[in-house]
Each structure stands twice: as C-alpha cells, then as structure tokens.
Amino acid sequence: MKNIIKLAAAFVIIACLSGCLPDEQRNAAGAGKAGKVKMVLADGGKSLAPIIVVSNATPYTRRAVDELAEYIEKTSGAKPEVIEGLPDPVPEHAIWVGYQPKLKELFPKVDFDLKHPEEILIACDGKNLVIAGRDIWDPAGFMLRDKRGKPVEGKQQEYGTINAVYTFLQDYLGVRWLWPGELGEDIIKKDTIAFAPFEYRYHPKIRARSGLLHYSALPGGGYGTSRDWTRQQRLQLSSLEFSGGHAFADWWERFHKEHPDYFALQPDGKRSGFPDPRTVKMCHSNPEVAKQWLKEVEAELTNNPNQTIFSASPNDGWASGHCICETCRAWDHPDGEPRLFHWSGLSQEYVALSDRDVTFANRCAKLLKERYPDKDYYVLMMSYGHSRPAPIKARPDDNVIISCVANFFGRTDLVDRGSTKGVTYKQQYADWAKMVPKLMWRPNTGSPAGWQQGQPDVSITQTIEDFKFVASNKCIGIFIDGVWEHWATHGPQYYVMAQLTWNPDQDGRAILDDYYQRGFGKAAGDIKAYWKFLEETREEFVKGERPYPEVYNKAFFDKAYGFLDRAARAVEKEPEKYGKRVEFFRAGLDWTKLIVEARDLMAKFKKSDGEDKEAEKQVLANWAKMEELCKKHPYAINWGPCRPQTPRMAGLHPDHIKKEKKGKPQKKSAQDNI
Ligand SMILES: [Zn+2]
C-alpha cells in the first residue's frame, strides 16, 4: 500500500526526463573516455557490480531486478547486491535498472528520452550498465480488480524496463527459455561476465502480444500454465490489449424495452431481436446507438482506467439479423462482395457489411476523440463474418483498429467459407492492410491436425512466413484463438512464434537452429529432423490425401521414435539436461500414439453401439496412461483442456458415447473434427 501511495504521487512517464545537468558536471561523468574497456559484472564467483534501482520501483520493475540478480548468479555463481535508491557514494561500477536522473550524468551521450511506445534501452560504457525502458502507468489504474474480481497489482500501460531486462538476459547473458519450467531453461555458465561498451535500442511494433498465448495472459485463470514463460518472452506485458470481441451482447436485455430503436430492423418490419438476445444486431445508423456506446466506454473506464481500446464490433452470429433500414443500407456499397444472409424465415444474398461497419466505427471514433481529446484511445472493429472483405469506399479513421479474424494461421491457403468469390483469408488480410492505419490479426486456429487435442499439428515454416507477412502489413497486435500450451508436441512452433512476435525482423530459421542447439547439444540435428518430419507429415494430412489413421500409422511412429532414439543416444554421455529434454519430446509422441489408438478403439466402440467391452477397456487404459503422462510431464501436454470431459475430446472417451445413448446430444466429435 505504501508503495502505491508513493507511486500515486508521480503520474508518470519514468523514462522521459527533464533536468539538464550543468556542462561541467556532464563532462565530469567521463563516459566518453570509456574506450574499449570492458565492464566486469562478475568474475571468479564474485560479483563486481551491484544492481541499483529506484527506491519506489513498480512491482514489475522490482521483479525484473530480482530475476536479473538470480540469472547473473545462475550464470556466474555470484549474486549481485541490490541497492534501492541512490547510494552515496555511487559505486564505481553498477548495473542500473530502470531510469533515474543520475543516469544522465553517468551516460552523458545516451539519449534517455524514449520516444516510442515500449522502447527499451540497454547500454554499457565500460563502467556502468543501464537496462531501462519506457514505463508508464496511471496511478488510478495501478491496482485493479479484473472482471472476475481478481486483484491485478502493478498494472502499467507500458512495461519497458522489465522487457528490457528479459532482452538483456536472453541476448546479452545468453539465457534461453525454450519452454516453461526448469527443464526448458538453458543457462551458459561463465566464470566472467563482462561487456565492452555498446548501446542497444528497440521498440516492438507488435504492441498487443499477450493474446499470442491468451490462456497465460494476465490476470490468469483458465487453462494457462505458461505465465512465467510468456512474461519472459516479452509477450505478457505488452502495451495494447484486445478488449472484448462482440460489443453488444447484453444490450437486448438492458435496452430493448426502452429503446427498441437501437436494434436492427428485420424484413418483417419489426425490431424483434432476431436471432436471439446475445447475437442481436444493432441499427448502426441510429445516432443514439453510438451515443449509448460512448456511455458504455465511460463506464468501462471507471472500472479500468488503463483500457485504451473499445470494441464497437457487432455481436456474433455473423450471418443473421442485420439491419435492413434504409439508412443502414445507404452505408453499404453496391459493389461489396455478395454474401448469404439470414433473417427470420428469409435467406438471401446481400453485399458485405464492411463499409457499414467501418462507417459505424468512424462515428464512434469521432465521439471518442471529442470526449477524450488528449487520450490515445481506439475503437476496435472486427473484420469478421460478412465484414471480412475489405470495404469498397469507407476508410477507417486513424483511431480505429481493425481486428482481422483471418483464419490463415497454419492454413495459409484457407478460403473464407462465407466468400462467394472464393477469396482466401490471407488475401482479405492483405486487402485490409492496403487501406487501414492499424491491423490486429486475430485468427481462429480450428484443429486442422489435432491442434486442440495435443497432437503435433505443427506448421513451423508456414507460421514463420505468415508472422512475417502480418508484421510487414500494418500488424500491431496478434491474438490467436487458441494456443493450448502443449509444449511437447508444439515446442519449437510456440518458441518461434513468441520470438517473432517480439521482433518479427529476426530470421526464424536461425532462431530455431539456436533452439535446437541450445536445447539438445549433440542431438540438435536429430531433433531438428524429428520436427521437420512431424511438420511434413502434418502437411500431408492437411492436404487431405489420406485419412488420419493412415497418415499417423505404424510407419510414422517407427520413424518418429527412430529420430528420438538417435537423439537420446547422441547425448548419452552429455549433461543430463539434454537426455531429459529428449524424453520430454518423447512424452509428446507417446501422447500422440495414445490418442491415435484411442481414436481407433473409439471407432470400434461406437460401431458396436457401446457393446464392445474389450475396446472400452483398452481405451480407458489409454486414458489412464495419458493422465499419468500429464502428471509426470506437466508442461508436455496441457491436461486441463484435454481432459476426457472437455468438448475438445468429444468422441474420444466411452462416456461421450454412453451419454449419447442416454439421449444427451454430444458436441461434434473430435473424430469428425480433428
Ligand atoms: Zn438500421
């Protein structure tokens, strides 16, 4: 509490600094004389530079300091002392974390005015090292409760310093977080840690990153098991958040009696709320709708002063119930792609609604700007359903972000099933990119080759290309629905996704070569070949030439286990961690085999109408092994979303069939939808 009071006194752009030093003081700092002298952080098991941080650091900056000290110790055997506040006298050498005014004196040539969102700065002059970044927070929103009532402490709008620390740990100290947990962490032990003078600056252009693994985003809850990892990969603490999807889900309930005019006019002349209260559509051209939307924004800001993005996207049920009033239709463009729409008792083609949705978003954006002229607030409009094609004439205003539900993640050539012209999702993204200031990419993954069931549905090559494609096409945020955190069957794919989200200019192949080398040493080649084989097999299945059991057959498993056996032999005499990591991937392959067998057994069980007791016994034995495997390797396969009761595993456990027999309809079977 004390800390928060202190912080409240300083609403804050920590990294933007004022207060020029007198010239003589500047010169006396002497950083320019550093030349090529190396700064030694630790040597021979001794720390030679303490860490200095301001005394009222935010919780995340303080956390970064502790982790920095911990990893310097893990690397060198020496834990640096942590000094809070400005010591007097200042030590000859120190690691300065976060900005404080003394730094301007110590580093007279370094510009501490960080102009870009989330900008980080790491610099060494041979005497001192600074690791800092743009930290911004609003005291009113520093301690919050989320929608579920969970406390969120230390909430910032930008978390530059902690992301700078993780960048330092990875790029300068050589730490790798290959996957969550101890086994995924790789440290190179060094007797000496020393740096010649350098200066490094960076700011990520993808500013909404926490949705990459959204189950491990803050404040947590649900299926996420990888929160530390996502923070260390600089995903979790990003500066833009996707807030909500469909904006009007509770409007029918709240307003339909007093304001029936808010809602879409149907062909029968009524504003009946078709198709249902949660997916009802609005009469977008009614000015009162946008005014009420702004009132909702005001209320959201009271609840969460950190929010900067406000959704104005239509409710789900994207083909149904859109307003046919004359004014709304005047917002549509006659050259829009024809799409099939539904109203009560009527289905017919009509033009795409992209022009209408953008016009509405712009109306909201103008109100938002008028109400909050000094704030950097945005309206979020989803390009989804019948607004997937880019608009013909309407153009989003600068404070409108288009969130493109373009489902080409892992399916680069997938055609939008609602398109009457056979346009791919990727083309739709590209079309929007030509005309908007900012895009977010929000693909649904589906489960092309068992992505949801923890099978190795890896599309590494394609994913690298697609991440680079979106990054070079206006992308400021990525949200993937969803990444299930199955590390033993998707490890390198998740890793390269995280790395490219932070910095998409990196070479994806080089990132992976480093991953294999650091993770597996002498087995790197076999492990790389293993993942290449998994990727090729998945591609073959997704192309649809052979059914799942024929692709993931005995020959597949023999070959896949062969790679892992060779890898295990290659590291037999190497440090234990390498062999353990091979076993971790083997757990993923074991899971895959158990699932493939379960599919086969369940097909028999279903065919027998639940009478084949032998098949039932065997499939239950497989489930027992699967549960055991998840207990032994908690990060290998995420048990939460893969428990037999979950909809993702429908059809893979006898209970689903038994319930069906009792007349309880089950969700679509995983057998039908891989
Ligand atoms: Zn209307």
Side-chain angles (χ1 to χ4, degrees):
M1 200 60 204
K2 203 174 158 190
N3 209 9
I4 290 163
I5 293 163
K6 276 186 199 162
L7 292 169
F11 176 67
V12 179
I13 299 183
I14 279 277
C16 295
L17 323 146
S18 55
C20 292
L21 296 164
D23 281 350
E24 59 275 20
Q25 213 172 332
R26 247 179 222 288
N27 295 337
K33 293 178 190 163
K36 290 192 173 69
V37 177
K38 280 192 173 183
M39 175 187 172
V40 183
L41 271 60
D43 186 46
K46 278 191 185 150
S47 165
L48 300 177
I51 298 173
I52 301 178
V53 61
V54 288
S55 57
N56 58 349
T58 64
Y60 279 106
T61 294
R62 196 62 185 75
R63 178 173 200 154
V65 164
D66 292 341
E67 288 191 56
L68 176 63
E70 177 193 330
Y71 282 101
I72 289 174
E73 185 181 19
K74 283 180 178 177
T75 302
S76 69
K79 189 166 190 171
E81 180 195 357
V82 173
I83 301 170
E84 294 188 43
L86 186 64
D88 185 16
V90 167
E92 197 184 348
H93 304 287
I95 306 162
W96 299 76
V97 176
Y99 176 74
Q100 51 180 301
K102 183 76 180 173
L103 286 167
K104 274 197 148 179
E105 194 185 315
L106 294 174
F107 293 87
K109 291 183 177 172
V110 173
D111 182 3
F112 286 97
D113 183 8
L114 306 176
K115 294 177 184 68
H116 303 279
E118 300 193 71
E119 185 171 349
I120 63 168
L121 164 66
I122 307 171
C124 178
D125 67 354
K127 286 179 75 179
N128 287 285
L129 172 71
V130 57
I131 308 172
R134 221 166 85 151
D135 291 320
I136 298 182
W137 67 88
D138 179 342
F142 193 70
M143 181 134 185
L144 288 174
R145 289 195 179 273
D146 71 354
K147 283 176 185 164
R148 282 171 279 184
K150 278 192 176 179
V152 184
E153 195 190 359
K155 182 85 181 144
Q156 297 178 207
Q157 291 161 348
E158 294 184 28
Y159 301 86
T161 296
I162 188 166
N163 286 328
V165 167
Y166 293 131
T167 302
F168 173 80
L169 291 176
Q170 178 186 284
D171 296 345
Y172 292 90
L173 210 58
V175 177
R176 296 289 181 272
W177 298 284
L178 305 173
W179 57 78
E182 207 179 321
L183 188 61
E185 179 174 294
D186 199 68
I187 309 271
I188 298 175
K189 294 214 189 283
K190 294 170 186 170
D191 197 44
T192 306
I193 303 174
F195 295 104
F198 70 91
E199 183 178 322
Y200 173 77
R201 284 172 190 276
Y202 178 72
H203 62 277
K205 58 182 168 187
I206 299 178
R207 290 183 50 198
R209 300 182 299 278
S210 63
L212 193 77
L213 269 73
H214 68 83
Y215 290 115
S216 285
L218 291 175
Y223 290 136
T225 63
S226 315
R227 291 193 182 90
D228 287 343
W229 187 87
T230 55
R231 194 182 63 255
Q232 289 158 339
Q233 294 291 344
R234 299 152 294 178
L235 303 175
Q236 191 183 65
L237 304 174
S238 63
S239 63
L240 285 179
E241 286 180 19
F242 276 83
S243 45
H246 309 288
F248 306 94
D250 62 354
W251 277 43
W252 179 260
E253 201 178 300
R254 290 166 58 206
F255 301 120
H256 81 277
K257 284 188 185 143
E258 278 185 50
H259 300 286
D261 56 305
Y262 284 2
F263 300 93
L265 181 70
Q266 302 298 301
D268 61 7
K270 294 178 184 162
R271 297 183 189 262
S272 57
F274 179 84
D276 61 60
R278 285 196 72 74
T279 58
V280 65
K281 302 302 178 306
M282 299 297 121
C283 180
H284 277 145
S285 63
N286 177 354
E288 297 304 315
V289 171
K291 285 183 195 163
Q292 181 60 43
W293 176 87
L294 187 66
K295 286 184 193 165
E296 306 292 309
V297 168
E298 288 166 357
E300 282 175 61
L301 279 167
T302 307
N303 183 45
N304 178 8
N306 295 308
Q307 194 164 334
T308 54
I309 301 179
F310 305 91
S311 176
S313 300
N315 286 338
D316 209 353
W318 47 268
S320 299
H322 292 282
C323 190
I324 62 145
C325 85
E326 209 173 308
T327 328
C328 281
R329 282 191 292 141
W331 285 6
D332 302 327
H333 198 284
D335 298 337
E337 185 188 52
R339 319 265 300 189
L340 185 64
F341 288 83
H342 308 289
W343 293 271
S344 180
L346 175 69
S347 291
Q348 108 179 10
E349 275 192 2
Y350 182 66
V351 293
L353 299 178
S354 322
D355 285 78
R356 177 191 301 204
D357 284 359
V358 167
T359 307
F360 178 66
N362 287 349
R363 176 178 275 184
C364 294
K366 280 190 183 67
L367 291 179
L368 191 67
K369 199 70 200 166
E370 280 165 23
R371 175 71 180 79
Y372 303 102
D374 304 328
K375 297 283 189 179
D376 214 8
Y377 288 161
Y378 297 94
V379 173
L380 183 82
M381 178 55 75
M382 282 208 281
S383 154
Y384 176 59
H386 286 331
S387 59
R388 280 193 160 110
I392 305 294
K393 198 171 171 196
R395 294 292 177 265
D397 287 351
D398 274 354
N399 59 335
V400 171
I401 296 172
I402 299 293
S403 168
C404 211
V405 187
N407 298 332
F408 60 91
F409 178 87
R411 300 179 289 184
T412 204
D413 299 323
L414 195 64
V415 170
D416 168 15
R417 68 189 161 99
S419 170
T420 51
K421 292 181 177 171
V423 179
T424 64
Y425 288 115
K426 195 166 177 178
Q427 185 60 48
Q428 290 170 342
Y429 184 98
D431 292 343
W432 278 97
K434 285 178 202 142
M435 62 181 66
V436 300
K438 295 174 188 71
L439 266 176
M440 288 200 185
W441 184 37
R442 195 218 168 280
N444 294 310
T445 60
S447 194
W451 176 262
Q452 296 182 351
Q453 290 88 33
Q455 287 150 270
D457 196 344
V458 281
S459 55
I460 299 170
T461 310
Q462 199 181 108
T463 299
I464 291 171
E465 283 170 17
D466 287 344
F467 271 53
K468 285 181 171 285
F469 164 78
V470 295
S472 57
N473 281 284
K474 312 272 181 73
C475 183
I476 59 154
I478 299 180
F479 183 104
I480 298 176
D481 197 5
V483 172
W484 300 94
E485 305 187 12
H486 302 309
W487 293 94
T489 49
H490 295 88
Q493 167 130 3
Y494 295 168
Y495 184 81
V496 78
M497 283 159 57
Q499 289 286 321
L500 291 178
T501 300
W502 172 254
N503 183 354
D505 294 334
Q506 295 180 93
D507 176 344
R509 288 281 145 211
I511 291 169
L512 287 169
D513 283 342
D514 173 76
Y515 175 96
Y516 296 129
Q517 194 56 49
R518 291 293 302 272
F520 299 91
K522 288 184 177 170
D526 294 313
I527 292 296
K528 183 177 175 177
Y530 169 72
W531 285 99
K532 185 165 180 279
F533 175 60
L534 293 185
E535 189 177 357
E536 286 167 355
T537 308
R538 183 264 187 195
E539 284 305 299
E540 184 193 337
F541 172 71
V542 172
K543 278 183 192 151
E545 284 158 18
R546 289 193 296 152
Y548 200 86
E550 280 185 30
V551 175
Y552 292 89
N553 57 12
K554 184 175 180 306
F556 162 80
F557 284 106
D558 286 349
K559 192 167 174 182
Y561 279 115
F563 286 117
L564 296 182
D565 291 342
R566 274 195 295 284
R569 281 197 297 275
V571 293
E572 245 167 14
K573 291 176 186 155
E574 297 296 305
E576 198 184 21
K577 63 184 180 182
Y578 297 121
K580 282 187 173 172
R581 289 175 185 154
V582 175
E583 285 311 298
F584 181 77
F585 283 166
R586 190 186 296 276
L589 190 59
D590 290 346
W591 171 274
T592 306
K593 190 160 182 282
L594 289 163
I595 288 267
V596 169
E597 287 170 6
R599 284 178 188 280
D600 186 38
L601 291 163
M602 284 304 296
K604 283 184 195 160
F605 185 69
K606 195 171 181 185
K607 203 172 166 190
S608 75
D609 204 20
E611 296 303 320
D612 188 336
K613 298 296 171 200
E614 186 52 33
E616 182 181 11
K617 192 176 137 194
Q618 285 181 33
V619 80
L620 289 175
N622 272 32
W623 272 105
K625 284 182 198 165
M626 284 152 66
E627 190 168 2
E628 194 55 37
L629 181 153
C630 291
K631 276 185 193 153
K632 194 173 168 194
H633 303 279
Y635 295 110
I637 299 293
N638 195 359
W639 178 247
C642 281
R643 287 165 300 136
Q645 301 82 5
T646 64
R648 280 160 296 285
M649 306 312 264
L652 291 179
H653 191 281
D655 285 355
H656 293 283
I657 309 294
K658 287 178 182 172
K659 280 182 189 162
E660 226 165 43
K661 271 183 85 175
K662 284 181 187 165
K664 292 180 188 167
Q666 296 297 291
K667 295 219 173 177
K668 195 174 179 182
S669 167
Q671 296 280 38
D672 308 322
N673 185 13
I674 292 289

